[in-house]
């Protein structure tokens, strides 16, 4: 994977590197040629790595004090909050860290959608990223169950019951997931086990994600292929490391703001009531990061249909690289797609809002419109706009727009030329 | 490739046999790992619950826990029974006669799992458009017989296996 020959200076380093080329890997990561025009939307990869490590470290600590038993879990979380030294801090970092993780991942995904980072030759990076996103949702869901409050219990009930919509085997699958005839102690126990496992699976996929990224190299705001290394690139260190660090510090300010000033604003007060299998809370809503999918689920007046559309809303992203027919990557040069992109962003935000509202009246109507548009964006807009759109001229290189202050039409490629 | 090599020979037989044995062995190892997640013997042992219903007045209901799930035991008034039986089958998404949801001669007792058949929430009693139950999670309406009338739930609330031990005691399970 090295782009160059590397020989350690010291004798010991050479001895070791001949046996395990870790130093070559380090040199590759340091020198890795990066497009020089990356903007701050590109700093979220580093931020996400920070989020994952934060969750793993705080999670390991919480597991030292938490008890995964239906009779003790709720009390043990309160014990962490009140008795354990700095337990409140570690738990609030972990619970708000989940929200920060999703905030960062959504920005990361929408950056990819805008600049066409999912397109050839980066489809595998995109798909691995989606697998990470799926595992993140599974981890977040199971983690939310662990405090064994009312929202934990009923969230677990509703989500596991999604599988009962599967014809014929649905009931057996839900019972198998529960290990009981309802959400109960065996369910809590296995969710704890899996909640501890999943972050390490994510970590493995992150390594693959970065590996796959380092094969073609980063996409960039202009979306054109660049020669590496060249005038268009800078070494990862120190140029990108310092930029990533600055962005991370800004992100940590927001993170700390939640942890220290409003640690419960993203949660639900119902989860401070111990789980009660006899009473469902009046308003049962998932965490904010799952609300758009929840709105899609509720907008369909049919159990199986709702479940299929909800999972379909995620799985359609896997074929996105093949639904987008445009040869131009970056939306900067796609005047029509750019507008649809922002409509799509608004559509997802609206669906999120509808997911938080009761499923009735105007909310239900808007949720249905939003659901139809969500799928239309991928199935109709992306293929059709890609074929019909007249794209703007694309610069020959990154240096050109940066150094001349705009694309010179004489140097620009025609939009129908191969990029 | 010569002609002899294309024929099925002893080596092909050995390959197929090895893969088959390997697959059977793998299955034999995987099955315990999968089946351990199914309800264990302790869970299965909680299979029956006896309920004393002597204190329940007509029109009222009680809720008990059976296998971790709420069970509604409702003692219905004559008007409620009449209302349930007057419903036309064509109005029901999951057609089922009220008579088939109760025990013969015990018409006033409706015993069913208090679990919405949509995604498992507990419906609220005396709510909704049909004088029965209403699920707050996703808006399913059930009638006085616990049958689904409106909303995303696909089927009527489930009637578990139960019997009258005597006039005042119901055994669920």
């Amino acid at each position: 994977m090295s782009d160059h020959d590397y020989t350690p200076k010291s004798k010991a380093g050479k001895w070791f590197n001949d046996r395990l080329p870790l130093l070559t890997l380090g040199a590759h990561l340091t020198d890795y040629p990066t497009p020089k025009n990356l903007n701050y939307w590109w700093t979220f990869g580093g931020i996400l790595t920070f989020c994952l490590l934060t969750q793993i470290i705080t999670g390991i600590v919480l597991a030292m004090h938490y008890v995964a038993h239906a009779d003790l879990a709720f009390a043990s979380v309160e014990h962490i909050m009140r008795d354990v030294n700095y337990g409140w801090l570690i738990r609030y970092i972990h619970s708000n860290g989940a929200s920060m993780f999703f905030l960062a991942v959504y920005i990361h995904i929408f950056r990819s959608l805008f600049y066409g980072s999912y397109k050839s030759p980066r489809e595998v990076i995109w798909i691995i990223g989606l697998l990470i996103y799926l595992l993140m949702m599974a981890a977040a869901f199971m983690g939310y169950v662990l405090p064994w409050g009312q929202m934990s219990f009923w969230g677990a009930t509703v989500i596991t019951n999604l599988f009962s919509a599967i014809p014929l085997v649905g009931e057996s699958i839900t019972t198998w997931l529960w290990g009981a005839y309802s959400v109960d102690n065996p369910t809590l126990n296995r969710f704890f086990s899996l909640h501890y496992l999943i972050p390490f699976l994510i970590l493995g996929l992150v390594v693959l994600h970065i590996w796959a990224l380092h094969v073609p190299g980063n996409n960039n705001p202009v979306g054109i292929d660049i020669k590496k290394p060249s005038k268009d690139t800078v070494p990862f260190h120190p140029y990108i490391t310092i930029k990533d660090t600055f962005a991370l510090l800004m992100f940590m300010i927001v993170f700390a703001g939640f942890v220290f000033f409003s640690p419960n604003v993203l949660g639900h007060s119902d989860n401070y009531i111990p789980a009660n299998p006899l009473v469902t809370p009046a308003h049962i809503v998932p965490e904010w990061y799952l609300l758009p999918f929840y709105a899609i689920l509720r907008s369909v007046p049919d159990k199986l249909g709702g479940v299929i559309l909800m999972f379909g809303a995620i799985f359609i992203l896997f074929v996105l690289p093949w639904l987008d027919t445009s040869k131009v990557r970056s939306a900067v040069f796609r005047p029509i797609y750019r507008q649809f992109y922002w409509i799509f962003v608004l559509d997802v935000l609206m669906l999120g809002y509808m997911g938080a509202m009761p499923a009735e009246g105007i909310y239900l109507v808007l949720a249905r419109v939003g659901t139809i548009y969500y799928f239309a964006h991928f199935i109709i807009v992306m293929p059709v706009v890609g074929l019909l759109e007249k794209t703007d001229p694309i610069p020959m290189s990154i240096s050109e727009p940066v150094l001349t202050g705009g694309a010179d039409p004489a140097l620009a490629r025609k939009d129908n030329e191969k990029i | 490739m010569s002609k002899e090599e294309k024929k099925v020979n002893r080596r092909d037989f050995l390959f197929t046999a090895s893969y088959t044995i390997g697959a059977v062995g793998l299955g034999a190892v995987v099955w315990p790992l999968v089946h351990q997640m199914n309800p264990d013997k302790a869970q299965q042992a909680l299979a029956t619950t006896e309920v004393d219903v002597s204190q329940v007045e007509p029109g009222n209901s009680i809720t008990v826990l059976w296998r971790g799930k709420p069970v509604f035991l409702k003692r219905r008034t004559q008007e409620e029974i009449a209302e349930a039986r007057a419903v036309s089958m064509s109005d029901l998404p999951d057609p089922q006669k009220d008579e088939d949801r109760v025990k013969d001669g015990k018409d006033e007792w409706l015993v069913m799992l208090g679990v919405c058949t949509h995604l498992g929430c507990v419906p609220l009693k005396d709510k909704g458009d049909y004088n029965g139950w209403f699920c707050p999670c996703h808006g399913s309406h059930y009638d006085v017989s616990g049958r689904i009338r409106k909303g995303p739930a696909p089927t009527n609330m489930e009637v578990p296996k139960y019997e009258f031990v005597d006039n005042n005691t119901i055994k669920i399970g």
Side-chain angles (χ1 to χ4, degrees):
Chain A
M1 57 190 282
S2 177
D3 301 305
H4 53 281
D5 292 323
Y6 171 78
T7 319
K9 286 191 184 77
S10 73
K11 225 178 161 187
K14 194 173 176 319
W15 179 89
F16 182 80
N17 203 50
D18 285 344
R19 282 149 184 82
L20 180 68
L22 270 186
L23 296 170
T24 304
L25 176 64
H28 162 81
L29 293 175
T30 310
D31 299 343
Y32 172 65
T34 319
K36 65 182 177 185
N37 61 340
L38 294 189
N39 56 32
Y40 274 104
W41 301 114
W42 259 266
T43 59
F44 283 86
I47 288 171
L48 283 162
T49 311
F50 165 80
C51 287
L52 177 62
L53 295 178
T54 304
Q55 292 305 88
I56 289 178
I57 292 166
T58 52
I60 289 171
V61 172
L62 287 172
M64 294 179 186
H65 305 280
Y66 170 79
V67 185
H69 189 282
D71 297 338
L72 304 170
F74 188 89
S76 77
V77 171
E78 285 310 303
H79 160 73
I80 289 169
M81 293 301 290
R82 293 154 197 246
D83 304 339
V84 175
N85 302 328
Y86 291 108
W88 60 272
L89 177 64
I90 292 156
R91 173 163 176 262
Y92 277 153
I93 291 175
H94 196 74
S95 60
N96 285 284
S99 281
M100 293 300 110
F101 205 158
F102 275 96
L103 176 68
V105 91
Y106 282 129
I107 296 174
H108 195 63
I109 291 172
F110 275 102
R111 186 270 290 157
S112 180
L113 287 175
F114 187 83
Y115 293 110
S117 302
Y118 52 87
K119 289 160 83 151
S120 174
R122 297 183 180 81
E123 301 94 323
V124 172
I125 311 174
W126 171 252
I127 288 168
I128 293 170
L130 288 174
L131 292 175
I132 294 173
Y133 175 52
L134 279 179
L135 284 179
M136 277 174 64
M137 287 196 282
F141 159 65
M142 292 187 193
Y144 195 58
V145 175
L146 302 184
W148 211 240
Q150 272 291 67
M151 279 293 173
S152 300
F153 184 90
W154 291 102
T157 300
V158 167
I159 301 294
T160 49
N161 262 301
L162 293 176
F163 294 92
S164 73
I166 302 167
L168 301 176
V169 292
E171 289 296 325
S172 316
I173 289 177
T174 12
T175 307
W176 178 74
L177 288 173
W178 289 336
Y181 301 99
S182 63
V183 173
D184 211 332
N185 190 49
T187 326
L188 175 61
N189 240 286
R190 64 192 53 184
F191 278 16
F192 180 56
S193 169
L194 296 172
H195 182 71
Y196 208 117
L197 164 72
I198 289 173
F200 297 98
L201 298 180
I202 293 178
L203 192 61
L205 284 174
V206 166
V207 171
L208 293 182
H209 195 62
I210 295 172
W211 186 0
L213 169 70
H214 279 229
V215 175
N218 289 72
N219 185 28
N220 62 79
V222 182
I224 55 172
D225 289 329
I226 51 168
K227 280 208 191 79
K228 347 165 264 182
S230 71
K231 252 171 61 181
D232 283 346
T233 66
V234 290
F236 191 81
H237 183 75
Y239 294 96
I240 303 299
T241 41
I242 199 70
K243 187 166 185 163
D244 275 0
T245 306
F246 178 71
L248 178 59
L249 286 170
M250 295 296 112
F251 184 81
M252 284 161 85
I253 291 174
V254 177
F255 195 150
F258 277 106
V259 169
F260 291 105
F261 294 100
S262 53
N264 288 305
V265 73
L266 297 169
H268 302 287
S269 49
D270 276 311
N271 220 29
Y272 284 103
I273 303 169
N276 179 355
L278 289 176
V279 182
T280 307
H283 266 291
I284 173 158
V285 273
E287 293 288 80
W288 68 268
Y289 39 82
L290 301 176
L291 286 173
F293 302 111
Y294 193 60
I296 291 174
L297 169 77
R298 293 194 308 182
S299 71
V300 185
D302 176 78
K303 183 174 173 179
L304 182 58
V307 173
I308 288 174
L309 277 202
M310 188 186 76
F311 283 107
I314 298 166
F315 286 108
I316 199 165
L317 296 171
F318 281 86
V319 290
L320 179 61
W322 295 276
L323 289 173
D324 184 350
T325 51
S326 177
K327 288 175 183 157
V328 176
R329 283 197 199 102
S330 174
V332 170
F333 304 103
R334 300 185 59 190
I336 309 296
Y337 170 74
R338 197 161 63 221
Q339 294 170 38
F340 280 109
Y341 171 85
W342 289 111
I343 295 173
F344 178 70
V345 172
L346 290 176
D347 184 61
V348 173
L349 291 175
M350 183 191 78
L351 277 174
Y353 183 71
M354 296 309 142
M357 294 294 114
E360 55 196 33
I362 185 70
Y363 298 126
L364 192 54
V365 176
L366 287 173
R368 283 177 181 161
V369 173
T371 300
I372 292 167
Y373 189 80
Y374 182 96
F375 286 97
H377 178 81
F378 293 113
I379 295 169
I380 300 167
V381 172
M382 293 207 94
V384 174
V385 170
L387 290 175
L388 301 182
E389 182 179 42
K390 176 151 175 50
T391 52
D392 292 339
I394 293 163
M396 296 291 284
S397 77
I398 290 174
S399 302
E400 188 189 298
V402 171
L403 296 181
T404 62
D408 180 350
L411 288 170
R413 298 171 198 230
K414 292 283 180 330
D415 56 5
N416 54 359
E417 270 181 291
K418 196 173 175 294
I419 300 142
Chain B
M1 206 184 264
S2 67
K3 261 194 171 174
E4 288 86 9
E5 279 171 327
K6 278 186 180 171
K7 281 195 299 185
V8 176
N9 55 30
R10 280 181 200 220
R11 179 148 296 186
D12 291 325
F13 172 77
L14 282 172
F15 277 141
T16 309
S18 311
Y19 287 141
T20 309
I21 294 295
V24 170
L26 195 66
V29 173
V30 166
W31 176 242
L33 291 173
V34 171
H35 191 49
Q36 54 84 21
M37 281 177 67
N38 273 317
D40 56 31
K41 290 190 176 62
Q43 289 291 334
Q44 289 170 0
L46 305 168
T48 62
T49 301
E50 289 200 7
V51 190
D52 174 15
V53 293
S54 57
Q55 304 300 313
V56 185
E57 298 293 329
N60 286 349
S61 68
I62 56 167
T63 306
V64 299
L65 210 56
W66 173 66
R67 283 182 160 189
K69 283 177 176 167
V71 177
F72 295 157
L73 300 102
K74 178 161 171 106
R75 188 169 180 186
R76 302 182 297 177
T77 60
Q78 289 307 316
E79 296 85 67
E80 285 172 331
I81 297 171
E83 185 188 333
R85 299 197 169 172
V87 177
S88 153
M89 284 298 119
S90 57
D91 289 342
L92 296 172
D94 178 20
Q96 194 179 17
K97 282 187 187 163
D98 182 63
E99 288 87 335
D100 298 336
R101 293 176 60 77
V102 294
K103 298 271 185 224
D104 269 347
K106 296 280 185 188
D107 292 345
E108 62 177 4
W109 284 104
L110 176 65
V111 178
M112 64 184 181
L113 292 184
V115 175
C116 180
T117 56
H118 182 223
L119 295 174
C121 297
V122 179
L124 305 167
K125 65 178 174 181
D126 305 324
K127 287 248 167 67
D129 298 349
Y130 298 90
N131 203 17
W133 287 265
F134 171 72
C135 181
C137 289
H138 308 97
S140 291
H141 299 256
Y142 295 89
D143 67 12
V144 273
S145 190
R147 293 173 296 198
I148 180 65
R149 301 299 291 272
K150 198 169 93 179
T155 56
N156 305 329
M157 277 194 266
E158 188 186 336
V159 176
K161 188 169 161 262
Y162 72 97
E163 63 189 45
F164 283 85
V165 179
D166 56 53
N167 265 339
N168 290 326
T169 313
I170 294 176
K171 186 172 120 189
I172 307 164

